[in-house]
Amino acid sequence: EVQVLESGGVLVQPGGSLRLSCAVSGFTFSSHTMNWVRQAPGKGLEWVSGISGSGDRTYYADSVKGRFTISRDNSKNTLYVEMNSLRAEDTAVYYCAKGISTSSTFDHWGQGTLVTVSS
Amino acid sequence: DIQLTQSPSSLSASVGDRVTITCRASQSISIHLNWYQQKPGKAPELLIHAASNLQSGLPSRFSGSGSGTDFTLTISSLQPEDFATYYCQQSYTTPTFGQGTKVEIK
C-alpha cells in the first residue's frame, strides 16, 4: 500500500525559512517524479515544484522560483522542500504528490501539512 | 503557462442526476488532462487520467472525454458521496489546475 506523509508545517514569520518533508513507502521511490502542490485557505490547487526520480531535474512554479528548493533522498524514501523568504501568500496546505512514473499526473497524495506565514 | 478554465464554477444537483463539468485549455494539450475529486479537509484524489482513463477501483459512473482543448467529466448518476469539488489538471507542460467546480446538494 502506498503511503505518503508530510511533516514540518508550522507558523513562521514573513521572511523566514522552513523545510517540509515527505516520507513515502509502498513503491519504488526512485522510479517516480515527486511534487509539491499547495492550497491556500478556501482556494484552489497550485502546483509548486517537481523533481525527477533521480533528482537531477527540478521544476518550479514562477511564484516560488528562486525562493524554494526541492530535493529528495532516495536512500531514505523522503522528499523535501526548503522554503526561504516566505511571504503571507505562501500560507497554504502543502501536499506531497507522487507522479505516475515520470509524468506529472498525481496518483497518490499525502494528507497535507499547513504552513502559516504571519507576524 | 497553459490556462485551464472550468465551467461551471459551482452547481447544485440531486442524487441520481447526470452531471457534466467542462474544462477548456488555452492551447492544445492532446489528451494530457486529468480530473481530481476533493472533499472538504481531505487531499485530492485522482479520478481520471489521460482524459478518459478511470483510475483503478473507482466507480464506473465517472467518465471523461475530450482531446485538444475541450474536455468533459461526467457523473452518470450522482451519489451522496460525490458531493465535492472537482479539478482538472494538465500534464502536458508545467502542471496547472482549473479553478475547481463545487458540486452541491440541491
Side-chain angles (χ1 to χ4, degrees):
Chain A
E1 180 191 2
V2 172
Q3 296 195 358
V4 178
L5 184 63
E6 305 93 337
S7 61
V10 293
L11 171 64
V12 61
Q13 291 192 336
S17 299
L18 192 60
R19 188 177 82 159
L20 305 182
S21 300
C22 171
V24 310
S25 61
F27 64 100
T28 304
F29 184 57
S30 60
S31 295
H32 294 264
T33 60
M34 294 295 297
N35 299 265
W36 291 98
V37 178
R38 69 184 179 184
Q39 187 168 37
K43 302 297 184 182
L45 300 169
E46 180 189 17
W47 173 82
V48 171
S49 183
I51 186 168
S52 63
S54 63
D56 61 339
R57 284 168 285 134
T58 58
Y59 310 91
Y60 298 94
D62 288 344
S63 58
V64 306
K65 200 172 293 182
R67 299 188 300 122
F68 288 15
T69 302
I70 192 171
S71 62
R72 62 194 296 161
D73 186 336
N74 286 349
S75 69
K76 296 182 178 179
N77 283 6
T78 303
L79 176 73
Y80 305 98
V81 63
E82 185 81 32
M83 303 187 294
N84 298 314
S85 304
L86 284 162
R87 307 166 180 167
E89 55 265 35
D90 295 317
T91 294
V93 174
Y94 285 74
Y95 294 103
C96 173
K98 168 185 170 288
I100 295 179
S101 187
T102 60
S103 80
S104 53
T105 298
F106 312 129
D107 64 343
H108 288 89
W109 300 60
Q111 86 293 343
T113 188
L114 176 61
V115 173
T116 303
V117 183
S118 175
S119 55
Chain B
D1 286 359
I2 296 175
Q3 312 289 332
L4 296 178
T5 303
Q6 289 181 234
S7 59
S9 296
S10 65
L11 65 91
S12 296
S14 300
V15 172
D17 284 354
R18 181 182 182 89
V19 168
T20 299
I21 300 169
T22 64
C23 179
R24 175 164 288 178
S26 59
Q27 66 185 74
S28 178
I29 56 172
S30 184
I31 59 167
H32 298 278
L33 193 283
N34 310 303
W35 291 97
Y36 300 84
Q37 177 193 68
Q38 187 179 33
K39 296 180 180 178
K42 301 294 187 182
E45 178 184 8
L46 178 64
L47 292 178
I48 302 281
H49 63 95
S52 61
N53 294 281
L54 183 66
Q55 189 67 352
S56 177
L58 296 184
S60 59
R61 63 180 180 271
F62 293 98
S63 64
S65 64
S67 66
T69 60
D70 293 310
F71 301 87
T72 300
L73 172 69
T74 299
I75 309 172
S76 60
S77 177
L78 198 66
Q79 297 302 301
E81 59 269 30
D82 301 336
F83 291 95
T85 300
Y86 294 84
Y87 293 92
C88 59
Q89 176 244 333
Q90 62 81 16
S91 52
Y92 185 72
T93 62
T94 304
T96 50
F97 290 88
Q99 81 278 15
T101 295
K102 187 173 184 179
V103 177
E104 299 176 299
I105 301 172
K106 181 183 283 186

